[in-house]
Amino acid sequence: GGYNSRIDYDAIPFPMPKLAVASDEDKSLETIAKNGKTYKLATFAGGCFWGLELAFQRVPGVDYTGVGYTQGPEASPNYDAVCSGGTGHTEAVIVLYDTDDCSYELLLDTFFGRVDPLTVNGQGGDRGTQYRTGVYYHCKEQEDIAKARFALEQEKYPNRKIASECLPAQPFWPAEKYH
């Protein structure tokens, strides 16, 4: 552990090393390939990443989920640094899904079924900017779908503004192997 410790991304299974390389290059990937199959990527934040990750693992067509940190400016953040609230990152789940079996809309259904989009900087008992909620789109198609869905969700709350973010995906930094 430790605030300044560096994560060994090569010790974490696929696709984490590829995601870390892309993050080191300040990139957010739209797709990733494995064994001749190309998967779309989607990123969501919903408080602590454990419960949200489990929800996405249960979605048919989701072939992989991983936890990490996104939407902050600091390179290579670790759990201690992110939990201090000083890096600007949020705990997040990256989802690799097969578009033949899973739609982005279904992933948004899962997200909105799991979070309270009105809560600022937290979910459940977890509080702080590192627990803020959000949908972070990886391409124009996801952006259009997400923004339309946010507009529909906002209609449910005419007197309150949704706190969940709807922003372009920034580099996704994989969490430590023990996560």
Side-chain angles (χ1 to χ4, degrees), residues 16-164:
M16 294 312 197
K18 287 184 179 187
L19 293 171
V21 167
S23 293
D24 267 338
E25 296 171 353
D26 201 30
K27 294 178 184 173
S28 176
L29 302 176
E30 183 179 335
T31 62
I32 200 163
K34 182 179 182 183
N35 298 331
K37 188 164 184 90
T38 300
Y39 298 96
K40 291 272 263 192
L41 298 172
T43 304
F44 302 91
C48 177
F49 40 51
W50 295 119
L52 189 61
E53 181 185 34
L54 181 60
F56 284 115
Q57 287 172 342
R58 294 176 173 166
V59 175
V62 169
D63 287 0
Y64 179 85
T65 61
V67 296
Y69 318 109
T70 191
Q71 304 308 112
E74 188 175 309
S76 303
N78 65 34
Y79 185 75
D80 291 338
V82 171
C83 283
S84 77
T87 69
H89 292 85
T90 186
E91 289 192 13
V93 177
I94 197 154
V95 176
L96 278 67
Y97 64 105
D98 181 343
T99 57
D100 290 337
D101 300 321
C102 179
S103 68
Y104 190 64
E105 291 87 350
L106 181 57
L107 298 177
L108 289 170
D109 290 346
T110 303
F111 172 79
F112 280 108
R114 182 81 176 107
V115 303
D116 175 357
L118 300 175
T119 302
V120 177
N121 293 332
Q123 289 292 290
D126 297 313
R127 294 285 178 257
T129 57
Q130 70 273 23
Y131 297 119
R132 68 189 182 273
T133 61
V135 172
Y136 307 109
Y137 46 84
H138 290 254
C139 63
K140 177 70 171 132
E141 178 188 23
Q142 286 183 353
E143 176 183 8
D144 293 345
I145 294 168
K147 286 183 175 180
R149 179 61 180 269
F150 268 71
L152 285 174
E153 292 295 324
Q154 184 60 64
E155 290 176 8
K156 296 177 184 177
Y157 310 102
N159 299 319
R160 294 185 64 194
K161 185 174 180 337
I162 287 180
S164 295

Side-chain angles (χ1 to χ4, degrees), residues 1-9 20-21 24 75-78 173 176:
Y3 190 88
N4 294 314
S5 64
R6 178 108 172 133
I7 298 170
D8 179 5
Y9 297 114
V21 167
D24 267 338
S76 303
N78 65 34
W173 295 97
E176 294 80 346

